[in-house]
Amino acid sequence: MKNILQDERLNMLNHSCAHLLAQAVKHLYPKALFWVGPVIEEGFYYDIDLGDEVITDESLLKIEKEMKKIAKDGKKIIRHEVSKKEALEIFKDNPYKIDLIQRMDEKNTVISYYTQGDFSDLCRGPHVESVKELKHFKLLKFSGAYYKGDKNNKMLQRIYGVCFDNEKDLDDYLQELKEASERDHRKIGKNLNIFITHDLVGKGMPLWLPNGAIIRKELENYIYKKEQKLGYKHVYTPCVGTVDLYKTSGHWDHYQENMFPSMKVDEEEFVLRPMNCPHHMLVYANTLHSYRDLPIRIGEFATDFRYEASGAVKGLERVRCMCQNDAHLFVTPEQIGDEFKKVVELILDVYHDFGIKNYKFRLSLRDKEDKEKYFDDDEMWDTAENKLREVLNSLEIPYYEAVGEAAFYGPKLDVEVKPAVGPEVTLSTCQLDFLLPRRFDLSYIDNEGNKQIPVVIHRAIFGTFDRFTAFILEETKGALPLWLSPVQINIIPVNNEYHLDYAQKLQEKLSNYRVELDSREEKLGYKIRESVTKKIPITLIIGQKEVDNNTISYRLYGSEETKTVSFEEFNNLLEQRILEKN
Ligand code: TSB
Ligand code: ZN
């Protein structure tokens, strides 16, 4: 989808359109006070204090109409440059703009504002020459937004819109927006009863409904089998730890802003864990290790809690309670390359099974200047980053580098994907860590009988089950492959009186699968349509012909064609599709 921010002309057009929106709002709501109106990836928005007035769908239409009127009038957009003092005088009636001006540097900044007809707005520009150029726009939606994003401040009203140079581009864009919103996993999750959230449980804490739980269980079984084959040992550890545990690991000093506050129980002070590494370090430390035992791979489907800003939580994609498909691999320095390669191969293998094609590898490095976020040991960082680069180059996978995206304990290889709505997110991750084994005083005995410190590779193939499920729902638009579908087969008897018996027998014979039998007294067409709406992969239609010939007629999701086969043939088809993950 087009990114407005990356196109100079569209940037300007949308910025000017934000002013046009503000002008129209001012005409309709003379008491309105304006805060900021930036251009964003999807167009623009303006945050407005409307006093007691509330924006509705109807008011959006009215505002849009007023915008068209002003644009038709065709006033020029004129730039003015003034001193700070003058600016304070010009915008004295708007405390929000005064706040902006006051924060501007007295000496270095020329303060500019733009005027179009009866409306002026503080702004750096640039803008189009005249409002006449603003013909092809649309107001998209509105929401509440706290002043400066702080929930202790007043709630302002945010209106979103987008503007293009011609009607076709606008129409195309609106169509794409519509398709993206259809693909949004929050919408699919609701329609297919996969998850919900509830205020009483809290923000970012989804409840997985039975359909969602089936998907999650299948994902767990799938990755567990793969990991077992690769020599992983799985453990269960508690989803809390003491503050001391996280002080030892360094999370307390470097990751605390992402953690829930601590709680005291008797003499102990606990935190909900944001990561599982410290627990796994202790699992490793429980036994003595020789170099011959390494690599040791400790895996867990582990629940973590992280503080995510309330504006950032999103369906299953960004949650505050998540379950990682986590593992920590304890290796000798010589084994880093090999073990890392195996993780990358596993990622590629899994992506192949799920048909994931659009992703980017990102090498996430530390920001040398940020001593707060990153553990301060330049030599350790240089070793880890160089080693990781070396491994990636030898793997010959294309990647880009991003400074400031590393974990506090080491650099990472992240896999980035683009959700239907919103910016890119990390799915899989593989991280190199020389720090935590030191902090937990881990060791193994090398071939000369000396104590050595292992290196740790942190990795999560799905990332979290939460985010991966969100992504897969969007990739498939909810039409999951047979093996993952909550309901795999839906049997519809044409007439209950004559065909229900046979349909029930079929259901019993297919008891290895998740089968529903729709025996409601509804019209056949209605039931078939509903089967499609529920995105059930296979619908069986059982009528007299099937009963007489002992056959099965089926339709695959996405196809109008009905095929008739014997039970054995049908069974083969199912096995084949499950095997091929189709
Ligand atoms: C891989 N200690 C490592 C672990 O051993 C770790 O926690 N890495 S992480 O911080 O990158 O998180 C692992 C994965 O969790 C990320 O790659 C991402 O896919 C997923 N994740 C992170 N935050 C969230 C969130 N708020 N909601 C859903 N998934 C998340
Ligand atoms: Zn970890």
Side-chain angles (χ1 to χ4, degrees):
M1 210 151 85
K2 200 144 205 133
N3 180 345
I4 305 288
L5 281 172
Q6 281 169 1
D7 182 309
E8 208 178 314
R9 166 75 187 162
L10 288 179
N11 224 307
M12 196 158 76
L13 214 53
N14 278 272
H15 199 169
S16 300
C17 204
H19 282 217
L20 181 66
L21 162 66
Q23 185 175 14
V25 169
K26 191 79 192 165
H27 286 178
L28 299 170
Y29 308 88
K31 286 194 190 134
L33 294 174
F34 302 95
W35 164 230
V36 286
V39 178
I40 54 172
E41 214 175 291
E42 295 86 17
F44 64 86
Y45 69 75
Y46 218 123
D47 281 353
I48 309 166
D49 181 351
L50 280 173
D52 298 332
E53 303 270 3
V54 234
I55 293 286
T56 60
D57 284 331
E58 218 172 287
S59 34
L60 271 201
L61 290 178
K62 262 198 224 152
I63 297 168
E64 218 174 63
K65 206 163 153 204
E66 183 65 19
M67 287 168 76
K68 298 255 174 222
K69 201 169 116 202
I70 303 169
K72 214 168 176 187
D73 206 23
K75 291 277 188 304
K76 280 214 161 353
I77 304 177
I78 301 155
R79 179 182 169 93
H80 310 271
E81 291 182 358
V82 289
S83 68
K84 187 165 177 175
K85 202 166 149 228
E86 288 166 313
L88 286 170
E89 176 58 27
I90 295 165
F91 291 96
K92 65 177 186 298
D93 295 332
N94 184 341
Y96 298 104
K97 299 288 175 189
I98 294 292
D99 180 46
L100 281 178
I101 299 166
Q102 259 156 0
R103 283 190 286 134
M104 288 178 187
D105 190 336
E106 190 104 32
K107 291 188 205 89
N108 300 329
T109 325
V110 181
I111 297 180
S112 59
Y113 72 91
Y114 284 78
T115 305
Q116 53 202 52
D118 57 6
F119 180 77
S120 293
D121 201 354
L122 189 70
C123 181
R124 224 181 283 138
H127 281 284
V128 296
E129 277 181 22
S130 147
V131 291
K132 239 191 322 203
E133 292 177 52
L134 307 170
K135 281 196 191 114
H136 311 282
F137 58 81
K138 176 105 192 113
L139 296 183
L140 299 169
K141 57 180 179 180
F142 55 91
S143 68
Y146 291 109
Y147 174 46
K148 293 186 180 170
D150 181 342
K151 67 175 183 307
N152 299 315
N153 288 342
K154 187 168 183 178
M155 170 87 87
L156 306 178
Q157 305 206 38
R158 178 173 293 180
I159 302 177
Y160 293 85
V162 70
C163 184
F164 283 91
D165 261 322
N166 59 65
E167 204 62 17
K168 177 165 187 318
D169 284 357
L170 177 64
D171 284 348
D172 288 352
Y173 184 78
L174 294 177
Q175 182 60 27
E176 278 179 43
L177 266 188
K178 189 165 161 257
E179 281 165 18
S181 103
E182 296 294 316
R183 259 194 340 120
D184 189 327
H185 79 278
R186 290 167 293 187
K187 188 164 184 174
I188 297 172
K190 188 163 179 241
N191 290 345
L192 300 186
N193 288 319
I194 287 167
F195 72 98
I196 52 165
T197 49
H198 197 290
D199 288 346
L200 285 177
V201 182
K203 271 208 179 73
M205 308 273 183
L207 313 181
W208 292 66
L209 301 175
N211 282 345
I214 290 173
I215 299 171
R216 179 148 157 190
K217 198 80 199 154
E218 288 289 350
L219 292 176
E220 284 177 5
N221 293 344
Y222 165 86
I223 201 74
Y224 181 76
K225 273 192 208 134
K226 294 238 176 225
E227 290 179 350
Q228 248 197 339
K229 268 197 189 151
L230 292 166
Y232 287 62
K233 308 285 177 216
H234 287 82
V235 296
Y236 294 100
T237 60
C239 59
V240 292
T242 65
V243 167
D244 285 341
L245 177 68
Y246 285 96
K247 279 187 180 159
T248 307
S249 65
H251 284 82
W252 193 250
D253 285 341
H254 299 287
Y255 202 70
Q256 207 181 129
E257 61 179 35
N258 301 82
M259 292 162 68
F260 278 66
S262 65
M263 53 190 153
K264 281 220 165 83
V265 181
D266 297 336
E267 300 309 306
E268 292 177 305
E269 193 179 357
F270 291 102
V271 280
L272 293 170
R273 67 173 171 195
M275 292 191 194
N276 321 301
C277 345
H279 295 76
H280 291 186
M281 301 293 139
L282 298 179
V283 170
Y284 178 90
N286 180 51
T287 23
L288 287 177
H289 299 284
S290 133
Y291 69 97
R292 285 197 212 91
D293 307 332
L294 269 45
I296 287 175
R297 309 173 182 93
I298 307 291
E300 184 172 358
F301 301 152
T303 300
D304 294 324
F305 295 84
R306 290 188 188 174
Y307 172 74
E308 296 278 2
S310 67
V313 294
K314 180 178 171 200
L316 290 178
E317 182 187 303
R318 188 170 295 281
V319 291
R320 286 176 172 172
C321 171
M322 66 199 78
C323 183
Q324 280 197 46
N325 149 232
D326 201 4
H328 294 92
L329 320 176
F330 299 82
V331 303
T332 67
E334 299 73 41
Q335 291 169 334
I336 295 173
D338 248 15
E339 202 56 24
F340 213 90
K341 182 164 172 251
K342 283 188 197 153
V343 174
V344 173
E345 280 167 359
L346 179 57
I347 293 174
L348 296 177
D349 180 29
V350 169
Y351 284 26
H352 174 263
D353 279 347
F354 284 88
I356 304 173
K357 293 198 184 80
N358 292 322
Y359 56 87
K360 279 189 280 189
F361 282 110
R362 180 182 76 184
L363 172 58
S364 304
L365 306 167
R366 80 189 186 289
D367 175 357
K368 285 187 188 157
E369 308 303 318
D370 194 342
K371 301 286 181 201
E372 215 160 277
K373 181 169 170 193
Y374 296 110
F375 187 76
D376 190 9
D377 180 342
D378 280 339
E379 199 189 318
M380 179 202 79
W381 275 102
D382 288 341
T383 313
E385 292 185 352
N386 289 337
K387 183 71 203 170
L388 195 50
R389 250 196 220 101
E390 187 191 306
V391 172
L392 294 185
N393 292 339
S394 77
L395 285 174
E396 292 182 7
I397 51 171
Y399 64 87
Y400 73 99
E401 299 195 359
V403 171
E405 295 290 343
F408 77 84
Y409 45 75
K412 315 188 278 175
L413 176 67
D414 292 320
V415 186
E416 297 279 280
V417 294
K418 177 87 179 76
V421 179
E424 294 190 312
V425 292
T426 300
L427 215 53
S428 313
T429 185
C430 187
Q431 316 171 350
L432 193 54
D433 176 8
F434 289 83
L435 179 67
L436 296 198
R438 272 194 347 215
R439 301 204 43 133
F440 281 90
D441 203 14
L442 303 185
S443 65
Y444 65 93
I445 305 299
D446 71 10
N447 57 357
E448 287 169 359
N450 299 321
K451 237 178 156 189
Q452 300 291 352
I453 308 175
V455 179
V456 167
I457 295 173
H458 307 235
R459 47 106 288 179
I461 306 300
F462 285 148
T464 51
F465 291 98
D466 315 81
R467 184 169 289 179
F468 195 80
T469 303
F471 181 69
I472 285 303
L473 288 176
E474 298 192 347
E475 281 281 286
T476 58
K477 300 186 188 148
L480 293 166
L482 186 65
W483 72 281
L484 266 183
S485 281
V487 178
Q488 297 174 305
I489 302 165
N490 186 24
I491 309 180
I492 308 179
V494 175
N495 184 325
N496 278 343
E497 198 177 332
Y498 307 110
H499 314 133
L500 184 59
D501 252 12
Y502 182 78
Q504 279 168 339
K505 287 205 182 84
L506 270 182
Q507 188 181 23
E508 273 166 40
K509 278 169 86 176
L510 291 167
S511 63
N512 281 344
Y513 297 92
R514 297 182 286 270
V515 185
E516 267 182 8
L517 172 62
D518 188 353
S519 56
R520 292 172 305 164
E521 295 293 343
E522 297 283 356
K523 290 221 165 67
L524 178 65
Y526 174 82
K527 292 209 261 187
I528 294 176
R529 271 197 305 282
E530 204 176 83
S531 202
V532 174
T533 314
K534 286 182 172 171
K535 316 223 173 192
I536 299 173
I538 303 177
T539 303
L540 306 191
I541 302 154
I542 302 303
Q544 198 55 43
K545 195 170 66 129
E546 287 72 25
V547 173
D548 290 344
N549 302 335
N550 201 16
T551 54
I552 290 175
S553 291
Y554 70 89
R555 270 193 205 184
L556 299 180
Y557 177 83
S559 158
E560 299 271 288
E561 193 189 355
T562 309
K563 284 191 178 157
T564 304
V565 291
S566 70
F567 182 81
E568 283 65 37
E569 281 173 298
F570 184 63
N571 212 26
N572 288 343
L573 169 103
L574 295 178
E575 282 174 11
Q576 186 72 15
R577 282 181 82 97
I578 298 272
L579 201 69
E580 288 170 1
K581 302 240 165 311
N582 251 323

